[in-house]
Amino acid sequence: MNNSDLKNLIKKQKPNYTLDQAFYVDNDIFELDIKNIFSKQWVFVGHSSRIPNFGDYFLFNIGNESIIIIRDEKNTIHAHYNVCRHRGSHICLENEGNKKLLTCPYHAWSYNLDGSIKSARLMNEGFNKEDWNLHKCNLKIFEGLIFINLSENPNNFDEFISPTRKFIEFHGLAEAKIAHRELYPTEGNWKLTLDNFHECYHCQPSHPEYCSVHDKDYILAYGAGSNTGPSSKKFNKMLENWNLEVKKMGHVTGEYTETEFNDYSRSAERTPLKEGKYNETKSGKPISKLMGKFKNYDRGYTSVGTSPFNSLLMCNDFATLFTFIPVSTLHTQVELMWLVHKDAKEGKDYDLEEIKWMWDVTTIADKRIIEDNQKGVLSKKYVPGPLSKMEKGLEKFKTWYLKHLDIAIS
Ligand code: FES
Ligand SMILES: [Fe+2]
């Protein structure tokens, strides 16, 4: 598809309808998505507690890129492109491990963990080794979250994080550790995967567990974030009362949504859980050590989106973090990370099964829904369908996406 065909297709997309098939199945559009959408965002790909020791590393792979995230002897975390400067081989071949030196398996050029070259055997005269350090990838550690950005000219990180900063900081993620990580490889385009995440129209039929911890009016009005469903007087009243109570405790309240089109797609809000619930567990009872600045439970729930590719859903005593990685046109990797206070001990302070229960079972259900959706979208009979009152979040994401793509190819 050439640019002018794509521009026409973008123009043809109707408000309050799903996208045309091509956006969910076309390989050229997928390539453009990676180049123009994913690669311009700051995306967190892990938490610093995943690599606690000197030499610990993991790879983050997307499209043709592989990034080595590694901790050096001075405790600094680095991100390097996994591309040897000699003839380009991948250097790290395992997805995670520990290396005190990055030695290329091909001809054994070696690099220090900060990316500077250490040795290159038998090179010709005039070879200046300092010219051949590893390519750095943009990296920021914020509250223990490892953010990377694949752009050559990344947006300013502080500007990017500023509206969601106070919501994240309150939860003390820098003082947290990973209780569990789980991958949910999903056979669906990344936009179908995110469409599903941006609406709670499907929550009632598909997620009894989610519905057992969240109030039904919350689900209606806020299930996929504020203003993603029809407004509910009952929930607004609940929120108003809860805000008063929580402000007195000195805890963060409020919400953030983008008011005008920009490079980012960020959101944040704090809301009350269902009556009687303290967190997203089956019993709803306190389950682990309080995190961050919480001195007491406030029955609140913090939901933050830093970009379409990351969400943080945080209770007072644990947090569930999502990363959505568009691997290929019809495949998305969904990674969940559960964080608890760094001093909390499994079996003593928390039961892992209870902590992961809700989002594990819900993400398994979502994987199935998305895969079935993708199968139907591949049919010759698929045409864009009309959206409901509970799919405003999806419409918002779709509009943001189309505008970005349109600008990028102009
Ligand atoms: S490609 Fe890495 S040392 Fe030759
Ligand atoms: Fe879902």
Side-chain angles (χ1 to χ4, degrees):
M1 193 181 310
N2 63 33
N3 274 6
S4 89
D5 289 346
L6 182 54
K7 267 193 136 348
N8 286 333
L9 187 62
I10 292 172
K11 219 177 272 161
K12 228 184 87 196
Q13 301 311 297
K14 284 199 288 193
N16 281 311
Y17 276 78
T18 59
L19 291 168
D20 258 297
Q21 186 185 50
F23 292 99
Y24 299 120
V25 307
D26 185 272
N27 292 328
D28 294 342
I29 295 182
F30 179 80
E31 295 294 323
L32 290 170
D33 289 353
I34 295 295
K35 183 165 166 244
N36 300 301
I37 314 278
F38 186 91
S39 299
K40 291 187 179 164
Q41 295 293 320
W42 283 102
V43 178
F44 67 76
V45 298
H47 185 267
S48 55
S49 65
R50 184 170 171 194
I51 43 172
N53 302 311
F54 163 35
D56 287 350
Y57 81 91
F58 66 91
L59 298 183
F60 175 72
N61 298 319
I62 182 155
N64 293 332
E65 305 308 340
S66 172
I67 309 295
I68 307 166
I69 320 274
I70 193 159
R71 188 185 288 267
D72 75 8
E73 61 280 16
K74 294 188 194 120
N75 238 344
T76 305
I77 294 175
H78 301 274
H80 309 297
Y81 282 82
N82 191 6
V83 179
C84 181
R85 296 302 308 277
H86 175 223
R87 276 168 50 203
S89 172
H90 270 184
I91 299 164
C92 292
L93 310 180
E94 306 288 329
N95 268 336
E96 56 192 350
N98 183 286
K99 286 187 191 288
K100 303 289 191 282
L101 192 64
L102 295 167
T103 305
C104 179
Y106 202 170
H107 315 92
W109 280 30
S110 68
Y111 305 87
N112 299 306
L113 303 196
D114 66 2
S116 58
I117 190 164
K118 183 155 194 270
S119 67
R121 296 178 299 124
L122 301 169
M123 297 306 290
N124 287 316
E125 239 131 88
F127 170 78
N128 190 1
K129 101 179 168 174
E130 285 66 42
D131 296 341
W132 301 96
N133 295 333
L134 290 179
H135 290 295
K136 272 193 191 317
C137 176
N138 306 301
L139 170 87
K140 285 277 177 194
I141 313 287
F142 171 70
E143 291 293 293
L145 300 172
I146 303 169
F147 281 87
I148 62 165
N149 188 317
L150 300 179
S151 168
E152 296 306 317
N153 189 15
N155 282 325
N156 179 282
F157 185 85
D158 291 332
E159 174 196 300
F160 151 72
I161 207 71
S162 97
T164 58
R165 178 184 282 275
K166 69 171 183 186
F167 295 92
I168 300 175
E169 279 177 349
F170 209 83
H171 283 266
L173 303 185
E175 297 291 303
K177 66 173 179 186
I178 301 174
H180 189 65
R181 273 179 65 236
E182 187 88 35
L183 300 174
Y184 303 85
T186 302
E187 299 302 325
N189 181 270
W190 70 278
K191 292 185 293 275
L192 271 190
T193 307
L194 287 175
D195 283 353
N196 176 68
F197 206 74
H198 281 98
E199 52 92 354
C200 215
Y201 192 35
H202 72 281
C203 293
Q204 209 102 53
S206 302
H207 298 318
E209 300 82 6
Y210 179 87
C211 294
S212 74
V213 304
H214 292 286
D215 188 87
K216 83 179 187 329
D217 283 81
Y218 165 84
I219 292 170
L220 177 77
Y222 271 69
S226 60
N227 200 25
T228 55
S231 86
S232 152
K233 277 205 180 107
K234 193 179 144 223
F235 184 72
N236 287 346
K237 193 73 207 152
M238 263 172 79
L239 180 60
E240 206 179 295
N241 293 339
W242 180 80
N243 275 338
L244 289 175
E245 191 187 312
V246 169
K247 267 188 198 143
K248 273 189 226 146
M249 298 170 84
H251 295 177
V252 173
T253 57
E255 60 186 62
Y256 174 82
T257 46
E258 305 287 0
T259 47
E260 49 197 60
F261 176 77
N262 63 42
D263 284 353
Y264 310 111
S265 170
R266 299 161 298 192
S267 62
E269 79 236 354
R270 294 210 72 223
T271 48
L273 289 159
K274 191 173 181 166
E275 194 65 45
K277 302 280 181 193
Y278 290 86
N279 53 32
E280 290 182 301
T281 58
K282 207 183 263 184
S283 71
K285 297 207 179 84
I287 175 82
S288 188
K289 270 184 179 327
L290 282 168
M291 295 174 79
K293 297 176 189 158
F294 293 100
K295 295 276 181 291
N296 288 302
Y297 281 88
D298 68 6
R299 298 187 305 102
Y301 185 56
T302 308
S303 164
V304 176
T306 47
S307 81
F309 306 101
N310 286 130
S311 289
L312 304 91
L313 303 177
M314 301 181 283
C315 307
N316 294 175
D317 51 4
F318 68 94
T320 313
L321 273 48
F322 294 71
T323 307
F324 300 96
I325 308 158
V327 177
S328 61
T329 311
L330 299 180
H331 186 88
T332 306
Q333 184 65 275
V334 179
E335 178 172 341
L336 266 63
M337 215 171 26
W338 285 269
L339 297 182
V340 294
H341 192 288
K342 68 174 178 10
D343 300 331
K345 300 225 171 6
E346 188 182 347
K348 183 169 166 280
D349 295 305
Y350 68 94
D351 176 341
L352 181 59
E353 287 309 311
E354 288 197 59
I355 281 186
K356 58 179 259 231
W357 164 73
M358 205 280 282
W359 279 113
D360 179 55
V361 65
T362 302
T363 309
I364 290 169
D366 280 333
K367 170 181 156 73
R368 177 180 45 76
I369 294 165
I370 295 158
E371 290 178 346
D372 293 341
N373 189 2
Q374 181 73 63
K375 285 178 196 155
V377 166
L378 283 160
S379 161
K380 66 178 181 189
K381 285 296 184 189
Y382 167 79
V383 287
L387 298 177
S388 71
K389 283 181 191 160
M390 280 185 79
E391 290 165 294
K392 285 198 245 167
L394 192 162
E395 175 64 13
K396 202 168 155 190
F397 165 60
K398 193 192 89 188
T399 311
W400 178 87
Y401 163 76
L402 287 174
K403 215 159 168 179
H404 262 280
L405 194 61
D406 193 32
I407 293 169
I409 61 169
S410 293

